[in-house]
Amino acid sequence: MPDPTPMEIPMTQVACTVNGEAFTRDVPVDSPLLEFLRDVLGLTGTKGACLEGECGSCTVLVDGETINSCLMLAAQANNRSITTIEGLASGAELDVIQDSFVATGAAQCGYCTPGLIMSARALLNDRPDISETELLTALEGNICRCTGYASIIEAVKRAHRESQSS
Amino acid sequence: MFHQPMTFKQALELRSELGADATVINGGTDVVVAMNHGAIKPTCFLDLSGINAIRKIDRDNGHLILGAGVTFAQLGKLHVRTLKEASLSVGGPAIRNMGTIGGNIATASPAGDGCVALLALGADVQLSSKDRGQRWIPLVDYFIDYRKTALADDELIQAVRIPYNPRSRWYKIGKRGAVNISLVCCAVSQNEDKKTQLAFGCVGPIPRTAPKASALLNGETLSAELIDDVANLVAQEVSPIDDQRGSAAYRRAMCSTLTKRLLTQLMEDNPKGDADA
Ligand SMILES: Cc1cc2nc3c(=O)[nH]c(=O)nc-3n(C[C@H](O)[C@H](O)[C@H](O)COP(=O)(O)OP(=O)(O)OC[C@H]3O[C@@H](n4cnc5c(N)ncnc54)[C@H](O)[C@@H]3O)c2cc1C
Ligand code: FES
Ligand code: FES
């Protein structure tokens, strides 16, 4: 059966900072932040999979805290500052967590990797000392279907050590 | 339309004007999931996430006052054990940074972990409207039937008030480690007068207390026999249903088991209570 007349979705303006750059755009009121980042700004590093908060592949930082961008509306990001995976490296120089994921082979297909790295970034931003439990808790909202997690945990520990010693 | 008030007063004005035509949203962890599933298609939003005033935790005469926009991440740092543990059982860290206690209460899911902890703590909820002002009601009276609550179309949840309960415990049985919806959950708490309350999730259409079983406990010193009697009474008092996550019989048995486990922990507890509830 054909869809009954599709409802007109109103637009609203969102002004936010993404990876240090200010943007003002019109977005549909019901559009998730994930869609805005990927389809409007072309920042396709952030992934979407479950769209229900279970997998963490869409994790980004909003005002320094991790959120699932599949569950935040783009319009809610008004006046906020967002960091995505694209915002971590400076030029050709990788963030220490990215570097550690490469060094320990913590990515296979890589689909979960941006989300995991953003969760790890929030953890390492937050505190100089982290326990094993804190590390596991910080990553508990991110699912990886490939690696079995050991190399991921190793990567975050390595990044932690490296950032302590530098 | 997308309304993003910066003050609670503005939010109440918009709520009064728009009523049920605007979908109230805060953390979005229930609303946007429902949108992504195609279950709802809102075109008008009243977004509370920009209101800093409802993100605060205050203390007043031994009571804790939680703004409706306080997140599970914030609650996870409190020392009220049942609420802390309930909050830390929700989703992963990103969900806990988004999901709010007001959203948990408004959604009124029978599995609402925050609601169950607050029921055991004997919390009150503050409902506010532009025209009729603010009213405090016991949370236990707020839940009416499956997703039917005392919240009117012109009202918003403003805050939650929790009396001092030096000791409390929490346990949730779910099917997965991290991101899990509960199969049964149980909260117990004890106030300074040794008044003990039990609450349960997933055992009926609403999060609920167990007044008969709780009445057996009141004023009494906990003993192994008393705990057995209470646990037996709980099994009669709750009325769980079968669903895809578990059978009624299993849930009933688990309510008894959790009651026994948590009350035994309270009995064996540090007599001074949990650190700084
Ligand atoms: C992956 C995942 C795991 C989850 N796990 C759990 C769990 O273990 N236990 C659990 O209990 N819940 C769980 N939830 C559900 C959800 O996180 C909670 O119910 C949360 O408290 C909702 O808060 P919110 O601010 O995100 O609400 P929103 O989605 O923004 O809103 C929820 C409802 O409340 C209304 N509302 C919000 N604030 C107010 C207010 N101040 N006044 C009036 N109405 C209001 C909205 O209109 C809507 O109907 C989970 C959700 C996800 C996505
Ligand atoms: S796509 Fe957002 S949590 Fe899975
Ligand atoms: S590397 Fe494939 S999902 Fe994690």
Side-chain angles (χ1 to χ4, degrees), chain B residues 11-60:
Chain B
L12 288 180
E13 283 163 9
L14 287 161
R15 177 75 166 155
S16 165
E17 182 189 320
L18 303 165
D21 292 343
T23 296
V24 177
I25 183 168
N26 198 339
T29 61
D30 286 318
V31 170
V32 185
V33 169
M35 288 167 58
N36 289 348
H37 285 173
I40 54 171
K41 290 190 173 24
T43 54
C44 178
F45 292 89
L46 174 52
D47 176 26
L48 308 181
S49 69
I51 308 173
N52 289 328
I54 56 167
R55 298 209 152 230
K56 288 200 302 226
I57 300 177
D58 291 314
R59 280 165 207 273
D60 175 38

Side-chain angles (χ1 to χ4, degrees), chain B residues 89-169:
Chain B
S89 82
V90 173
I95 293 290
R96 297 196 286 273
N97 286 335
M98 303 173 82
T100 65
I101 194 67
N104 205 243
I105 295 170
T107 288
S109 158
D113 288 301
C115 301
V116 175
L118 290 174
L119 282 174
L121 291 164
D124 299 316
V125 59
Q126 186 181 38
L127 308 180
S128 302
S129 82
K130 173 176 165 265
D131 301 319
R132 288 171 295 127
Q134 303 164 325
R135 57 179 178 135
W136 283 103
I137 62 167
L139 186 61
V140 65
D141 296 335
Y142 168 89
F143 301 108
I144 297 170
D145 202 342
Y146 183 68
R147 298 200 188 240
K148 189 165 175 279
T149 72
L151 187 77
D153 277 352
D154 66 341
E155 283 179 318
L156 292 171
I157 299 173
Q158 184 166 0
V160 179
R161 180 172 61 201
I162 307 173
Y164 180 59
N165 283 265
R167 303 197 261 176
S168 62
R169 287 292 183 278

Side-chain angles (χ1 to χ4, degrees), chain A residues 18-20 43 82-90 95 98 118:
Chain A
V18 181
N19 301 329
L43 296 170
I82 298 149
T83 309
T84 69
I85 189 73
E86 289 89 347
L88 293 193
S90 31
D95 180 271
Q98 293 174 308
M118 297 317 288

Side-chain angles (χ1 to χ4, degrees), chain A residues 106-113 116 143-147 152:
Chain A
Q108 286 182 24
C109 80
Y111 203 83
C112 66
T113 312
L116 272 159
I143 291 176
C144 174
R145 296 229 188 246
C146 305
T147 63
I152 292 170

Side-chain angles (χ1 to χ4, degrees), chain A residues 7-10 12 29-30 32 51-54 65-68 70-73 75-76 78 80 137-138 140-141 143, chain B residues 1-2 4 25-28 32-33 35-37 42-43 45 47 49-50 91-98 176 178-179:
Chain A
M7 225 183 314
E8 200 52 49
I9 299 295
T12 190
V29 291
D30 64 351
L51 307 183
E52 54 181 22
E54 298 277 349
E65 289 190 338
T66 54
I67 60 102
N68 296 121
C70 67
L71 298 185
M72 183 175 192
L73 297 179
Q76 291 184 289
N78 197 31
R80 302 201 180 267
T137 303
E140 76 183 359
I143 291 176
Chain B
M1 281 295 289
F2 197 89
Q4 196 176 44
I25 183 168
N26 198 339
V32 185
V33 169
M35 288 167 58
N36 289 348
H37 285 173
T43 54
F45 292 89
D47 176 26
S49 69
I95 293 290
R96 297 196 286 273
N97 286 335
M98 303 173 82
R176 229 173 73 201
V179 183

